[in-house]
Amino acid sequence: MLPSMIPFDPLRGKPPEEPFVPDLSEGAETGVYLALLELIDEGLIITGDETIIDVNSAACRLLEREYRELANRPLADIFPDERAFLEARARLLIQGEMRGSLRVALPGGRHRDFRFVAAARLRPGIHALILSPDLLAETRPEDDGDRVWPRLAAALAQPVIVVDDQRRVSAANAAALESLGMRRDALIGQPVEDCLKLDWPSAGGAPIARIHATRHDEPLQARVLDGPRPGWHLLVLPAGVSTQAGTVAAPAASSPPTRRSNQLAILNDQLELHFQPLVNARTGAIHSGEALLRWHHPVNGVIPFRRFAHAARDDGRLPELGGWALRAACRAAQAWPSTQGRSPSVTVNIAIEQILHGALVQQVTTALSESGIEPQRLELDLDEQVLVAAEDEVAPILHALAALGVRLAIDDFGHGLSTIRRLKRYPIQALKLDPELVRQVGRLDESDAVVESIVCMARPLGLKVLARGVEDEAQQAFLLALECDLQQGPLFGPPMTAPDFGSFLSDQLFC
């Protein structure tokens, strides 16, 4: 246990007894388990099959126990009874269930529901369990859910409809009623097929439902999310839709672009790529250029991808936009200069939807064939969600890409807690630190510690760590001290248009 977790107790007049310290020295994960304990807000439990090995302060707080009451104690002690323990152990440690809800025992015979993320068999007989409060379970009494859901839906500004496991509309907020042009009593409590003409998404397709409302000439697109219980769904409609005079108001200039706008952007050749350099901060040599999608809007000017990403995701257009960016980036890289037989690589961001629904392997093969660049010059920055997606869907695609010779990296690493086991099992070669985390380096001790722990974790796994968002020389020096040489951010140059980036490369060295 870390020394900071063993406070002096003035009431007892002496420090508590020395905590149990697990011996994990044989594994590559040694520094990972212990360094991460105090760097996350959720409760983290490192456990064996039967005995808890270590916990962080957040776990002690959530379970309302002192450290010595958890570490080196039976895992069964945190469950209400033996049956609950055996069921939980089967789900998490044997069947490998990665996320869900658990009921644990608190002192005084009380219970509490927690959401969990589990990583079974990090090493033989060693598992990780991350706990956070299950706020939905705590705010929704089991026998009174219908009273709470209208309040939860009403708290959202975006139109939301809640459909229960009986295909009945359990709740809808005022924004949804306005978008549909319906009265509350005509929607809430009614079978969804009776009050809405609804086309659910097809199996394996984008999670988009089509709602045919009487006041709209075209169907509304609704994103389908899993609800609070098995079989429940949330339908999230586009924001800003109005039915005044039976028409849909056009979005304001600052509103997120719509599916039709995205289609027009492609048809009218309004999309373009900008490139930002990734530099070896120790030598100054250019390693690669990251392709950043931009929409050159005829009225609003250049719009960065983050402003229309949500609309593209809601409309199922991300695979198409990603394919366009991939081909355009490879074509641009083909024209980049070389120095001493070396040419810079090109980096393209890949969304999880493009991996699962976008025929990514074929898109990459086509882009490489059309451009003629070597596969080794292409790096795909994968959405961090790839580490928590279904392994049987993701693993074949990643291995096929690696077989082509392209490099794979996890983008924005450190934004959330990822599954270390997947990092070892997938053909990942690099981690890119989340820019928001890097920007706090040198300003927040916690950010310094998180970055250092990630680098320490990556090294024994054979992973390079790259930093994005570097703004000043102090951050550069801190990262260099950790041997994080490849860096990107305002300190090394802003995003540039493709012609400007080509000119920028003309007198550079490459690595």
Side-chain angles (χ1 to χ4, degrees), residues 214-446:
T214 56
R215 293 192 178 184
H216 295 277
D217 294 331
E218 297 183 1
L220 298 176
Q221 307 285 332
R223 191 176 182 193
V224 181
L225 306 176
D226 289 336
R229 306 176 188 173
W232 287 50
H233 295 93
L234 306 182
L235 303 178
V236 183
L237 282 68
V241 179
S242 172
T243 58
Q244 298 297 325
T247 61
V248 181
S254 60
S255 299
T258 63
R259 174 176 179 173
R260 180 175 295 176
S261 298
N262 290 335
Q263 292 174 323
L264 290 175
I266 295 175
L267 294 175
N268 295 340
D269 199 26
Q270 295 172 4
L271 293 178
E272 62 181 34
L273 291 180
H274 289 192
F275 293 89
Q276 187 170 22
L278 178 68
V279 178
N280 185 319
R282 199 175 297 277
T283 66
I286 305 298
H287 177 270
S288 63
E290 180 182 6
L292 303 170
L293 189 60
R294 298 289 188 262
W295 178 6
H296 205 288
H297 195 279
V299 176
N300 298 325
V302 178
I303 301 176
F305 177 65
R306 66 178 180 273
R307 285 188 51 197
F308 60 96
H310 290 300
R313 176 173 284 111
D314 288 344
D315 293 332
R317 310 293 291 188
L318 280 183
E320 182 179 352
L321 291 175
W324 182 92
L326 186 60
R327 295 191 304 274
C330 289
R331 286 196 303 269
Q334 194 278 333
W336 291 347
S338 61
T339 300
Q340 299 178 348
R342 293 191 176 189
S343 299
S345 301
V346 61
T347 300
V348 181
N349 295 290
I350 303 296
I352 186 65
E353 291 87 350
Q354 194 173 355
I355 297 172
L356 297 177
H357 309 302
L360 180 58
V361 176
Q362 183 59 50
Q363 288 179 337
V364 170
T365 302
T366 300
L368 293 174
S369 175
E370 290 178 352
S371 65
I373 70 169
E374 299 85 355
Q376 295 78 11
R377 289 185 59 199
L378 175 61
E379 179 179 285
L380 304 180
D381 282 2
L382 309 177
D383 189 324
E384 193 181 16
Q385 293 183 51
V386 75
L387 297 176
V388 295
E391 186 171 355
D392 58 346
E393 296 183 21
V394 170
I397 297 172
L398 300 188
H399 285 288
L401 292 170
L404 292 176
V406 303
R407 297 175 57 83
L408 303 178
I410 299 297
D411 201 17
D412 290 347
F413 192 84
H415 181 72
L417 185 64
S418 298
T419 305
I420 298 171
R421 179 178 59 170
R422 298 285 183 89
L423 287 175
K424 297 172 62 178
R425 296 175 65 174
Y426 289 163
I428 304 298
Q429 297 168 297
L431 305 177
K432 286 195 172 182
L433 296 173
D434 182 1
E436 293 300 324
L437 181 62
V438 173
R439 290 188 188 103
Q440 298 303 321
V441 165
R443 301 170 186 169
L444 293 177
D445 291 342
E446 179 181 343

